[in-house]
Amino acid sequence: MPWKCPVCGYENTDDANFCIRCGAQKPTEVQSTQPLQITQTPPPPPEQSPQQTPSPQVEAQQQAVTPPPPPPADVNQAPPSPQQAVSTPAIQQQVVTPPPNQIPPSPQQVTQKYYLLFIQTPYAGLINQKIPLSFDIFPSISVGRSPENVIIVPDPEVSRRHAVISLEGGELYIEDLNSTNGTYIYDGKLFQPVKGKQKISPNTIIKLGNQTIVKVVAE
């Protein structure tokens, strides 16, 4: 089948691949020799699950809930003042709570030692002797001629249980136990009889009966 040259319009025979007049190529050959243009369609993007791609509303909630990171610690920052330190409960507990090995002193604990100094007595071996008043052992110290007393006075004019000396609230007291010859306190001029429980102090001079005189000494 003859074909017509698309350039010069000359009709060429079917077996001619080029135009005899202008040398143009047969139209069918031109179309066959043209390179094919392949348009590659990019693959669709992979589907993202709702968990991987949060919605803008969820992102806004996360930004609102998530607290900002704490600021870095300043090494040069000054330590808190004593008033700020005391305001915290933990430091208050450390300041107030005493160590477990420390025992607070008892209000009845004896911090001063007391003695009876014998000034005069029929038994010469007791003169100028200091007999301790051991209040840390005995709550009250009895004085008399009988061996059952804490302090024994070998004087026939001293009753078997003559008097008792006690320490109450840090104060000394003496009480006569209905003795035969009485208990007396020197007031600077005379010996006054003890009636009931009477307060005494260091350097007080006491007479038991008629012959024994003692002095309260504190150290």
Side-chain angles (χ1 to χ4, degrees), residues 141-144 149 161-165 174-177 183 208:
I141 297 175
S142 60
V143 181
N149 294 284
R161 285 179 57 82
H162 195 97
V164 63
I165 302 174
I174 188 170
E175 182 179 3
D176 183 77
L177 299 177
T183 304
L208 303 172

Side-chain angles (χ1 to χ4, degrees), residues 8-9 21 46 51 81 99 132 161 170 187 189 197 204 212 215:
C8 63
R21 178 180 294 178
Q51 297 179 356
S81 63
R161 285 179 57 82
D187 63 358
K189 293 182 181 180
K197 183 184 290 186
T204 298
T212 298
K215 180 180 181 180

Side-chain angles (χ1 to χ4, degrees), residues 166-182:
S166 60
L167 179 66
E168 301 177 8
E171 301 289 344
L172 287 173
Y173 294 89
I174 188 170
E175 182 179 3
D176 183 77
L177 299 177
N178 296 322
S179 63
T180 302
N181 296 313

Side-chain angles (χ1 to χ4, degrees), residues 195-213:
K195 297 179 180 180
K197 183 184 290 186
Q198 188 168 338
K199 182 179 177 181
I200 57 177
S201 60
N203 299 323
T204 298
I205 298 176
I206 302 170
K207 185 171 73 168
L208 303 172
N210 297 318
Q211 302 183 68
T212 298
I213 299 176

Side-chain angles (χ1 to χ4, degrees), residues 12-84:
N12 298 283
T13 60
D14 185 44
D15 56 351
N17 294 324
F18 298 93
C19 179
I20 299 174
R21 178 180 294 178
C22 65
Q25 190 174 6
K26 188 178 180 179
T28 55
E29 294 295 330
V30 173
Q31 292 178 0
S32 61
T33 58
Q34 290 181 355
L36 296 177
Q37 295 181 358
I38 301 174
T39 303
Q40 295 181 356
T41 303
E47 296 183 359
Q48 296 182 354
S49 61
Q51 297 179 356
Q52 296 179 355
T53 306
S55 62
Q57 184 178 2
V58 175
E59 290 181 354
Q61 292 179 356
Q62 291 179 354
Q63 293 178 359
V65 172
T66 304
D74 189 0
V75 178
N76 298 324
Q77 185 177 2
S81 63
Q83 296 180 354
Q84 295 177 352

